[in-house]
Amino acid sequence: MLYENYEQVVANVKKACERSGRNFQDITIIAVSKTKPLSDVEELLSHGVMEFGENKVQEMVDKYEHVSKPVHWHLIGHLQTNKVKYIVDKACLIHSVDSVHLAKEIEKEAAKKGVVAKVLLEVNIAQEETKFGIREDEVYALIDAIKDMPHVHVMGLMTIAPFVENPEENRVYFRKMHQLSLDIKSKCIDNIDMSVLSMGMTNDYEIAVEEGATMIRVGTAIFGARNYNI
Ligand SMILES: *Cc1c(COP(=O)(O)O)cnc(C)c1O
């Protein structure tokens, strides 16, 4: 059942790739398993799905410790500095770096554990009050602060687009993100990769793919609606 949902997302991504002349191989689908039981993760894993996203540190660590085979865990939610130590060697990619303060903490904890943490910079491209992430015009200052950190490696950018009825409304933001990542890439800054562009969720992932996403984060379309009251 869950795998059928996943395959439907795959089919939709393939169609979006065809429409926009992109390669399906260039897109990573992250199954966002937040609030869902480990058995759901196991079900997808039994079909070979390897990329999972969590937005809470404790939940990611619990699933990391109990899953039957190692998978790739993406930390996609806001990260508090005091929790960095729990996930710095467990997350394959931290999608939500949005301050020098947080980057410094990741550097410190990654150095302690002898790892290089891969991260994305979270950009609040629509400048929504309620959202985490830096403004577009703050991105170079953050890059400047991180580029000399030996245990933090910037792989690209991430954004959470506004919640809209019509996903077409987010196309402009996805386009802006793509352009921003190209601008940064063109500067060839040491230690700064721009190969990853994480954008698009259940509502708007097809548009995000058309506009250049290399990672999409899909929860509801795969696992069904979340219940936060249990
Ligand atoms: C929950 C979440 C998603 C997935 O949302 P859906 O609309 O269920 O696909 C993607 N990204 C982030 C950062 C999230 O917190």
Side-chain angles (χ1 to χ4, degrees):
M1 175 63 185
L2 295 185
Y3 189 60
E4 280 169 29
N5 296 342
Y6 182 86
E7 283 192 309
Q8 186 58 57
V9 173
V10 168
N12 292 339
V13 169
K14 284 184 173 162
K15 279 187 230 149
C17 285
E18 275 165 31
R19 286 195 295 273
S20 52
R22 302 195 57 207
N23 287 326
F24 174 70
Q25 283 77 8
D26 295 339
I27 322 280
T28 301
I29 300 168
I30 300 169
V32 177
S33 48
K34 66 188 189 194
T35 79
K36 298 295 178 179
L38 189 62
S39 55
D40 282 7
V41 171
E42 294 287 352
E43 188 177 333
L44 287 177
L45 175 56
S46 73
H47 292 276
V49 176
M50 287 293 292
E51 311 293 328
F52 292 91
E54 289 288 335
N55 71 334
K56 293 218 165 75
V57 166
Q58 186 60 52
E59 193 173 349
M60 200 202 93
V61 170
D62 280 346
K63 285 175 178 158
Y64 178 98
E65 283 171 354
H66 293 104
V67 71
S68 61
K69 281 184 266 177
V71 300
H72 299 151
W73 292 105
H74 296 255
L75 201 276
I76 61 175
H78 179 65
L79 179 56
Q80 288 171 288
T81 49
N82 62 341
K83 301 212 169 138
V84 168
K85 56 179 175 285
Y86 302 116
I87 55 97
V88 74
D89 57 342
K90 296 185 177 68
C92 69
L93 186 63
I94 299 170
H95 289 232
S96 48
V97 171
D98 62 356
S99 71
V100 178
H101 181 61
L102 175 58
K104 278 187 178 158
E105 184 66 16
I106 295 172
E107 167 60 29
K108 190 180 96 194
E109 293 299 328
K112 266 193 212 166
K113 297 209 160 77
V115 298
V116 175
K118 291 182 178 166
V119 307
L120 304 179
L121 307 182
E122 180 174 353
V123 180
N124 181 357
I125 196 72
Q127 300 198 26
E128 290 179 284
E129 294 282 334
T130 52
K131 293 247 165 84
F132 292 106
I134 53 169
R135 292 193 317 264
E136 194 179 350
D137 61 7
E138 295 170 320
V139 75
Y140 284 103
L142 186 54
I143 284 175
D144 207 49
I146 297 179
K147 69 180 194 311
D148 297 324
M149 296 183 184
H151 302 90
V152 182
H153 190 62
V154 174
M155 301 297 297
L157 305 177
M158 177 272 219
T159 198
I160 303 172
F163 184 79
V164 289
E165 284 294 319
N166 178 1
E168 276 294 336
E169 290 172 35
N170 281 338
R171 189 180 291 278
V172 58
Y173 297 120
F174 294 144
R175 232 173 240 178
K176 273 192 172 179
M177 286 295 295
H178 188 220
Q179 191 55 52
L180 181 61
S181 88
L182 292 176
D183 289 347
I184 298 167
K185 202 184 278 179
S186 74
K187 298 202 159 51
C188 299
I189 307 164
D190 273 354
N191 192 34
I192 304 294
D193 235 293
M194 276 291 136
S195 52
V196 177
L197 188 51
S198 168
M199 59 186 192
M201 310 180 12
T202 290
N203 256 333
D204 53 20
Y205 67 88
E206 290 154 285
I207 311 265
V209 167
E210 287 175 14
E211 296 301 331
T214 70
M215 281 185 184
I216 57 172
R217 310 177 306 265
V218 182
T220 309
I222 297 171
F223 297 99
R226 287 177 291 272
N227 183 353
Y228 286 100
N229 301 320
I230 51 173

